[in-house]
Amino acid sequence: MDSYDVPESTPSASSRPEDYFVGATPLQKRLESIRKQTSFIPTPPRRKVPQCSQLQEDVDPQKVAFLLHKQWTLYSLTPLYKFSYSNLKEYSRLLNAFIVAEKQKGLAVEVGEDFNIKVIFSTLLGMKGTQRDPEAFLVQRLILSPRLECSGTILAYCNLCLLGSSDPSTLAFQVAGTTGACHHTRILSKSQLPSENREGKVLWTGWFCCIFGDSLLETVSEDFTCLPLFLANGAESNTAIIGTWFQKTFDCYFSPLTINAFNLSWMAAMWTACKVDHYVATTEFLWSVPCSPQSLDISYAIHPEDAKALWDSIHKTPGEVTQEEVDLFMDCLYSHFHRHFKIHLSATRLVRVSTSVASAHTDGKIKILCHKYLIGVLAYLTELAVFQIE
Amino acid sequence: MSPQKRVKNVKAQNRISQGSNSFQTTLSAWKVKQGPSNSKNISKHGQNNPVGDYEHADDQAEDALQMAVEYFEKGPVKTSQNKDKTLEKHLKTVENVAWKNGLASEEIDVLLNIALSGKFGNAVNTRILKCMIPATVISQDSVVKAVSWLCVDKCSGSTKVLFYRWLVAMFDFIDRKEQINLLYGFFFASLQDDALCPYVCHLLYLLTKKENGEIENGKLILFQGMQPHLQALLSLYKFFAPALISVSLPVRKKIYFKNSENLWKMALLAVKQRNQGPSPEPLKLMLGPANVRPLKRKWNSLSIIPVLNSSSYTKEYGKKEVSLSDCLNRSGSFPLEQLKSFPQLLQNIHCLELPSQMGSVLNNSLLLHYINCVRDEPVLLRFYYWLSQTLQEECIWYKVNNYEHGKEFTNFLDTIIRAECFLQEGFYSCEAFLYKSLPLWDGLCCRSQFLQLVSWIPFSSFSEVKPLLFDHLAQLFFTSTIYFKCSVLQSLKELLQNWLLWLSMDIHMKPVTNSPLETTLGGSMNSVSKLIHYVGWLSTTAMRLESNSTFLLHFILDFYEKVCDIYINYNLPLVVLFPPGIFYSALLSLDTSILNQLCFIMHRYRKNLTAAKKNELVQKTKSEFNFSSKTYQEFNHYLTSMVGCLWTSKPFGKGIYIDPEILEKTGVTEYKNSLNVIHHPSFLSYAVSFLMLQTLPREREGNREKGKKWSWYLDYLFSQGLQGLKLFIRSSVHHSSVPRAEGINYNNQY
């Protein structure tokens, strides 16, 4: 086949490709960035190892603790149009009415009426990577017992979940024993809920955040609020209703954020690289072998200290993780496994990674365990979400 | 008020009501009218058919009617013995006139008053109400008075129902509605009456406008219910005040209102005909199934494209306390749901409410117009995000083995392409989608849609797009069937055309010197020429792969038919010739139409180059965009070899040169003649039929004879529809004793 060469021909005028975008609109700039993204390797070859305490100082430790140890389903979200932090109360009224209307089709619902269902919006102060990142916020759907006054429930609730442990490190320690058990009881569905209970029960929680989302922020105007990462916990039907409301109101678009094997291995490497005082869980990998009639799962658990030792032997540049290091790390694991079981894991698909820092599933499920690295984990997820919406 | 004013015509009615007369004044006016001379006057002016006989009859009817009205106004005479008889007679009179010609608004005013005041019995009231058919219009005041009678509660429930039905049916004929609107609260309160509810709902539905206030929040909850009439009203409130009411309508669409009109169906038609002029359109709302979500396929949407809704939500959030009346009072913006026609769009373009979900514009051609001209960054960005995400979500080859929604995706792409064709403009989202999805595309599914999307890529630098798009496309191109190759060439032709159109529009719309494009015209031209060269390269290689398929060559020449005319058709300074691989395959092709097409293209090239040459000579000033001599040389080279082959029978001397020794080795003795017009293999069938026609004996002919026959044959070919050949021969070959090619001179200084 001929090699294609551009003939030096016709118009003798100088051609400067950058001239095409003189006075380019943001839309064209976006397209530019997409072109760059598509033409080069999708992810930069090196990233920072998540640093310990990147949380801003004014962050509410109670709320952070509330976000940990829960399984979140990930979604990417396009910028919200005309979203305003000063109207959160109004939003909760409207969303509340919307949910009730969805539940009882055909009946009109007056906005602002009292129901036994309550939606609460609240900001997660300080949950950001840089000052430019917009504030994260939390949406909760509670079910209240009829006799209860609904105001102030959320605070009571938050206090409850801490169970007297204000020190995050001891919290992590406590969890080691009763992994998540006490936490799970808090997320009750309607059927499980004893109606005599006077507390408001959280049926569904979702939060929006943007950690180091600079690349996205640059390309949109001030009418938009960029919160590319959305995490939901609760029944899918609730996510659907609330998501629909957001889409209708702020003209945004939710799409499920899945994590491919490539990104999972990055997560594995980065999270192994984190220094954790108390390992609360073993480092575990799950591979899936698509074979009939039933698919086969291979679970591979490593003592976290061994994994860390392996990583340290590979790791060269301090504070950074490179693509070669990630590849080498995974290769070491593969060859070790092959030596013992004669199975080439590289031929299978990595489905889940769980470490003491966090665990992630390829379907877009994540559970963050370590308070210290919360921001680090979220920064990487934000990066993935931004990549998906661009 | 002078009696002359009470003529039965619309204008007069309007004037009266505009004067906002009170009950008293109209009544007194009515009383003045009672003289017989006056009544005659009225009938003469008011009658539509001025034929004498009828006039007289009508006069009588008019008198009778007046007597009847008078009778009703006085009330039943208790002592009268033949009371029933008289009553019956007058009722009959009124009914007859009403159904025949309709009643004047004054008459309606009086009679309505009587019917609702309860002076007569229920049966009489019903009969009177049933014949309240206006000749042209009903005065607003009469309605207000009538409603005030309802408050007094003098009439029975059934009369009330009938009144509301009448009001709904005649709604369009009420001359003005401001006063009635003020009674909104009263009507609203009547909703509580179960019997009245359906009709009051309908009335409110007709009355409700944004300007309508007076609805208290708490009362809304009154009508929780599944009755269709309530739902209709609720949906209307929701439409005007979405920030206050949330309602999710059931799946099946029902008829929302009982038909109030059927009592008066014929009469209504008659009134409409009498009024002739366009009666004020009632507020019509689409309560279509679009608002309804039948299946929960995905939570994102039931159809891919969202439903059109005004974005009244976001605007209201700023306020602390929002009440329904505030929402309804909100004026100055034009809701999308009411946008039905292009003139409407033009009138309200400054105050149009944008849809809450920008994606919904895809189904609405009016809004596409709007989007196209508004150039508002947030609007475009919202649309961009929505479209990119939806394409990504729906794209079927992103998901392994998930071809269930293939049909849906195809339809979606079709919708997008329709919108792009409509706007004559590509969307950035689609371009981004192509970049992302092309490497994963199998070249099969949604092929025609996908390639059409390619042809709508907005104009941009070719060298930037090439690695993202064309390199991937080339891989598929070379490895796929000939049909795929043809469709790719087709879509590249359309892409070229779209780019050229865009560029030519843009250049001519911005003649200002300091526009950004002016400085980069050279760059744009360079990009286009790169695209053409790229297609040339694709075609050459494809011709080799497909062993010079005629079918493929057709598509390639189609492309060059666009290319050769750029200078003249689009007024852009660009002429790019085809590569030799294409030229010679076409010249030596066995297909007549190919050769004909080639001749046509050469002819057009010639036209374009001469035009360019002329312009250069005229302008004198050394322009940036003079073509290099190389283009002219190349063209002359092609022209020489073409004329050498077809005309002068010296095929391989000039132009394409083949060593005579090699030619001798082929064993073809008469190679020199074998490619001219007479012997060219592609004209073989024409030659045969030409000979069949000719009965001349084939004898030795002189040179002159030969020349004659030659031109006969040419004329025959031209008559067979080979226009390209005709144009080419006419323009490029001098008819003289020694035919020679006529190239274009070029100056070497370029």
Side-chain angles (χ1 to χ4, degrees):
Chain A
M1 203 169 290
D2 294 305
S3 67
Y4 171 76
D5 52 354
V6 183
E8 297 287 320
S9 66
T10 24
S12 51
S14 63
S15 78
R16 287 155 296 162
E18 65 268 27
D19 281 352
Y20 290 105
F21 296 99
V22 171
T25 60
L27 215 57
Q28 281 168 326
K29 277 186 212 150
R30 299 198 50 72
L31 202 65
E32 278 287 85
S33 73
I34 288 162
R35 284 184 181 153
K36 273 183 204 128
Q37 234 178 50
T38 327
S39 47
F40 302 115
I41 317 154
T43 44
R46 53 184 65 227
R47 286 197 184 81
K48 277 182 184 165
V49 176
Q51 292 302 304
C52 260
S53 180
Q54 285 167 324
L55 286 181
Q56 304 272 321
E57 280 166 14
D58 48 354
V59 72
D60 184 355
Q62 292 179 347
K63 283 193 174 163
V64 170
F66 171 73
L67 302 176
L68 299 174
H69 304 286
K70 278 206 181 80
Q71 178 157 295
W72 301 100
T73 310
L74 301 172
Y75 293 86
S76 69
L77 181 67
T78 60
L80 304 163
Y81 179 65
K82 294 247 161 109
F83 176 83
S84 162
Y85 285 98
S86 53
N87 294 338
L88 291 184
K89 257 195 186 145
E90 181 64 22
Y91 295 154
S92 72
R93 264 174 16 101
L94 291 166
L95 179 53
N96 205 6
F98 181 79
I99 293 171
V100 177
E102 280 296 315
K103 294 274 161 186
Q104 29 181 303
K105 282 203 181 297
L107 294 186
V109 173
E110 191 193 352
V111 174
E113 205 193 336
D114 279 343
F115 304 102
N116 62 340
I117 301 167
K118 179 114 183 139
V119 180
I120 295 171
F121 280 62
S122 54
T123 51
L124 293 165
L125 283 174
M127 281 284 283
K128 41 164 94 171
T130 62
Q131 280 306 330
R132 283 187 66 200
D133 285 332
E135 211 74 62
F137 71 94
L138 180 80
V139 181
Q140 285 177 304
R141 196 188 148 191
L142 309 172
I143 186 154
L144 309 172
S145 69
R147 278 166 291 176
L148 192 75
E149 286 295 315
C150 44
S151 57
T153 322
I154 179 65
L155 283 177
Y157 170 70
C158 272
N159 288 335
L160 177 84
C161 73
L162 272 179
L163 296 170
S165 64
S166 56
D167 182 8
S169 61
T170 57
L171 177 75
F173 184 70
Q174 284 176 350
V175 173
T178 59
T179 312
C182 62
H183 298 273
H184 275 234
T185 52
R186 289 202 311 268
I187 312 151
L188 290 176
S189 72
K190 231 181 212 166
S191 55
Q192 290 168 306
L193 185 76
S195 55
E196 298 91 327
N197 198 330
R198 284 178 162 259
E199 303 296 330
K201 292 293 173 195
V202 176
L203 285 185
W204 182 91
T205 311
W207 48 297
F208 301 73
C209 72
C210 175
I211 313 285
F212 296 111
D214 293 338
S215 64
L216 184 64
L217 293 171
E218 278 163 12
T219 55
V220 296
S221 53
E222 61 270 27
D223 282 333
F224 294 92
T225 308
C226 293
L227 293 161
L229 185 62
F230 173 69
L231 303 95
N233 173 294
E236 168 83 14
S237 60
N238 280 326
T239 313
I241 292 173
I242 293 165
T244 307
W245 183 80
F246 269 92
Q247 289 190 154
K248 279 188 176 167
T249 314
F250 303 110
D251 202 3
C252 52
Y253 196 100
F254 287 82
S255 39
L257 179 64
T258 55
I259 310 168
N260 60 23
F262 176 81
N263 289 324
L264 277 178
S265 51
W266 263 92
M267 286 176 177
M270 284 197 298
W271 295 344
T272 311
C274 294
K275 282 198 193 80
V276 181
D277 303 332
H278 306 281
Y279 289 107
V280 291
T282 55
T283 303
E284 195 186 344
F285 298 85
L286 192 71
W287 279 274
S288 163
V289 187
C291 59
S292 58
Q294 280 173 324
S295 66
L296 182 71
D297 285 345
I298 300 170
S299 168
Y300 182 2
I302 312 162
H303 194 279
E305 277 168 16
D306 293 342
K308 180 84 169 102
L310 172 65
W311 173 256
D312 286 340
S313 69
I314 293 165
H315 190 54
K316 290 185 190 77
T317 44
E320 273 185 342
V321 183
T322 62
Q323 183 66 57
E324 297 86 58
E325 287 170 351
V326 174
D327 291 342
L328 195 57
F329 178 67
M330 294 310 283
D331 281 344
C332 288
L333 293 177
Y334 292 153
S335 60
H336 179 77
F337 197 82
H338 181 252
R339 205 178 308 138
H340 290 283
F341 301 101
K342 301 284 175 276
I343 294 172
H344 287 289
L345 283 176
S346 51
T348 64
R349 196 164 68 97
L350 183 57
V351 168
R352 202 185 70 207
V353 169
S354 46
T355 67
S356 302
V357 173
S359 70
H361 191 275
T362 186
D363 291 342
K365 301 262 185 349
I366 192 136
K367 189 190 268 186
I368 303 169
L369 303 174
C370 184
H371 165 263
K372 278 202 296 185
Y373 297 110
L374 177 64
I375 291 289
V377 172
L378 290 175
Y380 186 62
L381 292 175
T382 307
E383 190 189 319
L384 294 182
V386 169
F387 180 72
Q388 178 158 311
I389 61 175
E390 289 214 314
Chain B
M1 184 172 288
S2 76
Q4 275 83 359
K5 275 200 173 176
R6 276 173 279 103
V7 181
K8 282 189 246 173
N9 77 31
V10 187
K11 274 185 191 166
Q13 293 302 337
N14 282 342
R15 229 175 297 147
I16 288 166
S17 54
Q18 270 160 14
S20 68
N21 294 306
S22 71
F23 177 39
Q24 287 304 321
T25 51
T26 30
L27 259 196
S28 61
W30 174 248
K31 273 168 188 157
V32 176
K33 191 185 137 187
Q34 286 171 351
S37 61
N38 277 338
S39 79
K40 208 157 203 173
N41 189 13
I42 290 169
S43 62
K44 263 183 191 157
H45 279 270
Q47 240 27 67
N48 287 336
N49 46 354
V51 188
D53 292 348
Y54 287 108
E55 201 175 315
H56 185 63
D58 281 333
D59 277 356
Q60 282 185 339
E62 200 71 24
D63 290 341
L65 180 64
Q66 282 202 11
M67 281 165 67
V69 172
E70 226 169 291
Y71 166 80
F72 282 120
E73 213 178 349
K74 280 182 189 148
V77 189
K78 278 173 188 160
T79 53
S80 172
Q81 287 179 342
N82 51 359
K83 177 184 110 188
D84 289 350
K85 239 183 179 176
T86 335
L87 178 65
E88 183 60 32
K89 191 190 92 187
H90 288 307
L91 264 178
K92 269 269 155 60
T93 313
V94 174
E95 277 171 352
N96 281 341
V97 174
W99 284 93
K100 198 174 162 204
N101 290 326
L103 300 171
S105 67
E106 293 91 344
E107 288 152 5
I108 289 183
D109 187 89
V110 174
L111 289 174
L112 202 56
N113 211 24
I114 293 156
L116 293 171
S117 61
K119 275 186 196 167
F120 291 87
N122 216 7
V124 178
N125 291 342
T126 310
R127 277 180 73 178
I128 293 178
L129 265 178
K130 276 187 183 167
C131 65
M132 291 288 96
I133 299 156
T136 47
V137 286
I138 300 165
S139 145
Q140 169 179 249
D141 296 325
S142 330
V143 178
V144 174
K145 268 183 279 168
V147 172
S148 70
W149 276 114
L150 293 184
C151 304
V152 185
D153 215 22
K154 286 226 169 160
C155 50
S156 68
S158 66
T159 313
K160 277 185 189 170
V161 168
L162 189 64
F163 171 72
Y164 275 112
R165 288 179 69 180
W166 174 81
L167 201 52
V168 168
M170 301 297 167
F171 191 77
D172 289 350
F173 304 121
I174 301 172
D175 53 357
R176 307 179 66 184
K177 279 144 195 150
E178 294 89 353
Q179 304 278 323
I180 301 174
N181 259 325
L182 295 180
L183 297 172
Y184 198 95
F186 170 77
F187 292 129
F188 196 88
S190 316
L191 282 175
Q192 292 174 42
D193 187 326
D194 283 344
L196 292 181
C197 184
Y199 306 105
V200 175
C201 264
H202 198 162
L203 180 65
L204 286 173
Y205 184 85
L206 294 172
L207 269 180
T208 305
K209 291 204 179 94
K210 285 216 158 170
E211 307 86 68
N212 269 110
E214 305 298 316
I215 302 171
E216 288 145 60
N217 265 341
K219 281 192 181 166
L220 282 176
I221 232 64
L222 276 175
F223 37 72
Q224 292 279 10
M226 294 294 279
Q227 293 103 316
H229 48 266
L230 280 172
Q231 277 174 8
L233 189 57
L234 281 173
S235 63
L236 188 69
Y237 287 143
K238 189 190 173 224
F239 157 55
F240 282 131
L244 288 173
I245 302 167
S246 226
V247 65
S248 162
L249 290 175
V251 178
R252 257 163 279 120
K253 191 190 169 189
K254 291 171 190 165
I255 300 161
Y256 286 110
F257 297 113
K258 287 182 187 167
N259 200 346
S260 307
E261 293 181 1
N262 40 15
L263 272 176
W264 293 279
K265 216 164 210 169
M266 292 310 291
L268 286 175
L269 272 176
V271 178
K272 265 179 202 159
Q273 270 179 356
R274 254 174 274 160
N275 284 349
Q276 270 170 356
S279 56
E281 273 289 303
L283 177 69
K284 272 189 192 124
L285 279 173
M286 299 296 283
L287 290 167
N291 284 329
V292 168
R293 40 171 60 213
L295 271 176
K296 210 172 157 192
R297 178 176 67 81
K298 263 176 285 173
W299 65 270
N300 258 333
S301 53
L302 74 146
S303 67
I304 302 173
I305 301 167
V307 180
L308 201 67
N309 272 323
S310 294
S311 61
S312 355
Y313 263 137
T314 33
K315 283 186 187 163
E316 298 305 322
Y317 291 152
K319 298 179 190 167
K320 282 267 172 192
E321 276 291 310
V322 199
S323 69
L324 186 57
S325 58
D326 280 345
C327 283
L328 293 176
N329 272 325
R330 184 161 41 88
S331 56
S333 61
F334 188 77
L336 285 178
E337 288 85 343
Q338 291 174 16
L339 187 69
K340 293 282 182 282
S341 68
F342 193 70
Q344 260 184 329
L345 174 72
L346 290 182
Q347 274 164 20
N348 299 294
I349 202 153
H350 58 286
C351 57
L352 207 61
E353 269 175 25
L354 289 173
S356 62
Q357 281 172 291
M358 212 35 96
S360 55
V361 302
L362 210 52
N363 271 336
N364 188 320
S365 54
L366 289 174
L367 283 179
L368 279 174
H369 276 305
Y370 180 74
I371 285 251
N372 200 25
C373 73
V374 68
R375 296 280 150 225
D376 183 22
E377 199 57 47
V379 169
L380 296 178
L381 208 55
R382 281 161 72 189
F383 183 71
Y384 169 88
Y385 273 123
W386 173 80
L387 189 53
S388 323
Q389 289 301 293
T390 314
L391 280 170
Q392 197 168 320
E393 267 300 88
E394 299 296 323
C395 181
I396 40 178
W397 57 90
Y398 275 180
K399 296 155 199 159
V400 189
N401 298 330
N402 182 12
Y403 282 68
E404 280 168 47
H405 301 302
K407 188 96 185 91
E408 208 175 6
F409 184 59
T410 317
N411 289 339
F412 180 56
L413 288 183
D414 278 332
T415 314
I416 294 172
I417 291 159
R418 233 177 295 132
E420 287 187 327
C421 289
F422 179 74
L423 295 178
Q424 287 291 305
E425 191 175 284
F427 298 132
Y428 284 112
S429 326
C430 294
E431 192 183 344
F433 170 70
L434 287 177
Y435 296 158
K436 280 185 165 183
S437 61
L438 187 56
L440 304 173
W441 188 44
D442 58 359
L444 270 180
C445 68
C446 310
R447 179 199 289 170
S448 80
Q449 284 81 8
F450 197 85
L451 289 177
Q452 279 184 74
L453 283 185
V454 169
S455 69
W456 280 110
I457 293 177
F459 176 76
S460 50
S461 147
F462 180 79
S463 35
E464 266 179 66
V465 181
K466 185 178 164 282
L468 300 167
L469 195 75
F470 293 110
D471 286 352
H472 295 289
L473 200 59
Q475 283 177 11
L476 282 171
F477 180 83
F478 290 132
T479 50
S480 304
T481 60
I482 185 167
Y483 302 105
F484 184 82
K485 291 190 176 89
C486 293
S487 24
V488 168
L489 286 171
Q490 172 83 17
S491 71
L492 287 176
K493 186 187 88 183
E494 276 156 24
L495 174 71
L496 177 72
Q497 181 178 321
N498 291 333
W499 280 17
L500 290 173
L501 273 174
W502 189 85
L503 281 172
S504 60
M505 286 294 289
D506 218 73
I507 283 168
H508 299 124
M509 270 164 66
K510 297 177 197 163
V512 202
T513 43
N514 58 358
S515 86
L517 199 98
E518 198 72 13
T519 56
T520 61
L521 181 62
S524 320
M525 286 300 105
N526 197 28
S527 183
V528 175
S529 92
K530 274 182 188 161
L531 172 70
I532 296 169
H533 282 293
Y534 187 78
V535 177
W537 171 72
L538 278 183
S539 329
T540 314
T541 319
M543 281 300 282
R544 210 175 332 134
L545 287 173
E546 297 296 336
S547 50
N548 295 329
S549 155
T550 315
F551 187 66
L552 183 67
L553 197 52
H554 267 295
F555 281 87
I556 296 169
L557 288 183
D558 267 352
F559 179 80
Y560 280 100
E561 236 179 86
K562 274 268 145 4
V563 173
C564 67
D565 252 348
I566 293 175
Y567 190 85
I568 289 179
N569 271 2
Y570 300 94
N571 208 356
L572 294 170
L574 184 70
V575 178
V576 183
L577 289 167
F578 31 40
I582 302 305
F583 174 76
Y584 288 109
S585 338
L587 184 60
L588 305 178
S589 143
L590 296 180
D591 189 278
T592 326
S593 61
I594 294 280
L595 191 58
N596 184 46
Q597 210 174 353
L598 179 74
C599 287
F600 179 74
I601 291 170
M602 285 300 283
H603 164 72
R604 292 309 303 175
Y605 266 132
R606 185 192 174 79
K607 285 260 170 197
N608 278 269
L609 284 170
T610 2
K613 192 87 195 168
K614 227 182 232 165
N615 271 354
E616 274 171 35
L617 290 177
V618 167
Q619 284 176 352
K620 294 266 179 178
T621 48
K622 199 163 158 58
S623 147
E624 213 184 348
F625 302 111
N626 286 342
F627 302 114
S628 70
S629 60
K630 214 179 137 205
T631 317
Y632 291 105
Q633 267 174 356
E634 222 177 322
F635 174 75
N636 283 342
H637 178 85
Y638 283 149
L639 190 67
T640 334
S641 29
M642 207 156 150
V643 173
C645 270
L646 294 178
W647 200 260
T648 57
S649 310
K650 289 167 195 156
F652 306 114
K654 281 182 196 165
I656 184 170
Y657 178 77
I658 299 174
D659 200 327
E661 280 181 27
I662 298 171
L663 286 170
E664 266 170 38
K665 272 184 197 164
T666 56
V668 184
T669 46
E670 284 283 309
Y671 72 86
K672 279 192 174 171
N673 285 337
S674 58
L675 284 174
N676 65 20
V677 180
I678 294 188
H679 297 105
H680 198 285
S682 67
F683 292 132
L684 186 62
S685 58
Y686 288 94
V688 169
S689 46
F690 178 71
L691 286 177
M692 305 268 275
L693 280 175
Q694 302 297 313
T695 48
L696 293 170
R698 303 189 62 189
E699 288 163 12
R700 283 179 60 91
E701 291 150 341
N703 228 358
R704 245 187 99 192
E705 288 288 307
K706 231 182 190 174
K708 229 180 190 178
K709 272 210 143 178
W710 180 288
S711 54
W712 275 351
Y713 179 55
L714 272 187
D715 286 339
Y716 173 73
L717 286 181
F718 298 162
S719 72
Q720 295 299 304
L722 298 179
Q723 284 300 312
L725 184 71
K726 186 176 174 180
L727 290 168
F728 174 72
I729 299 276
R730 291 268 157 91
S731 67
S732 303
V733 178
H734 260 304
H735 280 277
S736 66
S737 51
V738 186
R740 61 180 172 84
E742 200 184 70
I744 297 170
N745 295 320
Y746 54 87
N747 300 331
N748 282 328
Q749 63 184 2
Y750 294 124

